Amino acid sequence: MFGGRVPAGATVTWVLVGLNVLCYLVEWAYPRIVNYFDMIGAAYDPSIHQTVGVAHDQWYRLLTSAFLHEPGLGGFGPAHIIFNMWALILVGPALERMLGRVRFLAVYLLSALGGSVLYYLFASPNQSALGASGAIFGLFGAWFVLARRLRLDSRSIVFLIVLNLAISFAVPSIAWQDHIGGLITGAVVTAAYAYAPRRHRALVQGGATLIVLALLVIGVITRNSELVASGFR
């Protein structure tokens, strides 16, 4: 419908679910892995005796943190990954069929990255975060855009977005920046895919993808400079 090949199944969705579950099982077996791959701007980690963070050239944390969830039984416990995977299974297959595998994966990964970048920009640099929520909110944003584009009833997804945003701001331990960043990124990228003109569609969609990625990189570089100037590095 929007330029991609119609997949026979929801392969990408189930691979993403499998990766998240696999990482969660690894966390149970080796909890310290969270210290190496969670989202953190700049901080000294006494557990590994190192200064870590995106500001210390560990850019991979922007994406790896989206495949980790709160380990153990403390805090939200297993509810964290259960909700995120439920949401992914709820909206992922339909979005994958409408967008095609490549575009769907691009929306998911860019949304995860967008959530981490906004968190990096506005949260305390020594406060860690993890979870697929940014990517999930990106899929919510994608679903809303496609519903509007296809003139479908969007009330259910609007309710889901508003409810989860309300929870994000009501619960202090939730990284609302990650949710907002993922939501905006997913909506913007999907809008570029859904409203691209039929002529040169792939070129417009690819260009929009690169522009969004470039803006996110600029955001990270800008934040790095701020932290260096303030002495966090």
Side-chain angles (χ1 to χ4, degrees):
M1 189 177 301
F2 302 111
R5 294 182 180 180
V6 180
T11 304
V12 174
T13 299
W14 289 111
V15 168
L16 290 171
V17 171
L19 286 173
N20 277 277
V21 172
L22 177 61
C23 290
Y24 186 67
L25 295 176
V26 172
E27 289 176 48
W28 275 91
Y30 185 61
R32 286 184 63 183
I33 194 173
V34 173
N35 300 101
Y36 295 103
F37 295 105
D38 63 346
M39 175 57 213
I40 193 163
Y44 177 76
D45 189 340
S47 66
I48 58 177
H49 308 291
Q50 292 181 9
T51 303
V52 300
V54 178
H56 294 269
D57 302 321
Q58 296 177 341
W59 285 49
Y60 56 84
R61 290 176 178 267
L62 294 163
L63 199 56
T64 56
S65 59
F67 290 90
L68 300 174
H69 290 82
E70 192 168 1
L73 300 175
F76 293 105
H80 191 197
I81 188 172
I82 289 174
F83 171 78
N84 281 338
M85 293 305 99
W86 168 79
L88 177 54
I89 294 170
L90 178 68
V91 301
L95 287 173
E96 188 173 344
R97 285 194 297 270
M98 286 190 284
L99 292 172
R101 290 172 180 166
V102 174
R103 289 164 178 79
F104 171 72
L105 182 60
V107 170
Y108 185 93
L109 294 178
L110 283 174
S111 297
L113 189 59
S116 293
V117 170
L118 198 71
Y119 183 83
Y120 185 41
L121 288 172
F122 293 104
S124 174
N126 59 359
Q127 183 67 42
S128 66
L130 69 170
S133 300
I136 299 302
F137 268 85
L139 297 187
F140 289 165
W143 186 265
F144 172 77
V145 169
L146 293 183
R148 300 296 295 176
R149 178 69 175 86
L150 300 174
R151 299 181 180 180
L152 302 175
D153 188 352
S154 60
R155 287 176 295 181
S156 59
I157 192 62
V158 169
F159 172 78
L160 194 59
I161 291 172
V162 171
L163 175 63
N164 282 279
L165 284 179
I167 295 173
S168 301
F169 287 104
V171 180
S173 60
I174 293 180
W176 60 266
Q177 301 93 336
D178 186 57
H179 297 181
I180 296 291
L183 179 66
I184 293 173
T185 304
V188 169
V189 174
T190 305
Y193 293 168
Y195 290 94
R198 189 174 296 273
R199 187 177 183 181
H200 305 305
R201 173 184 284 165
L203 182 62
V204 172
Q205 293 173 338
T209 302
L210 292 177
I211 289 172
V212 171
L213 180 60
L215 290 174
L216 295 177
V217 171
I218 290 172
V220 175
I221 293 174
T222 301
R223 182 59 166 162
N224 282 349
S225 300
E226 291 177 355
L227 294 180
V228 169
S230 60
F232 270 97
R233 187 176 175 85

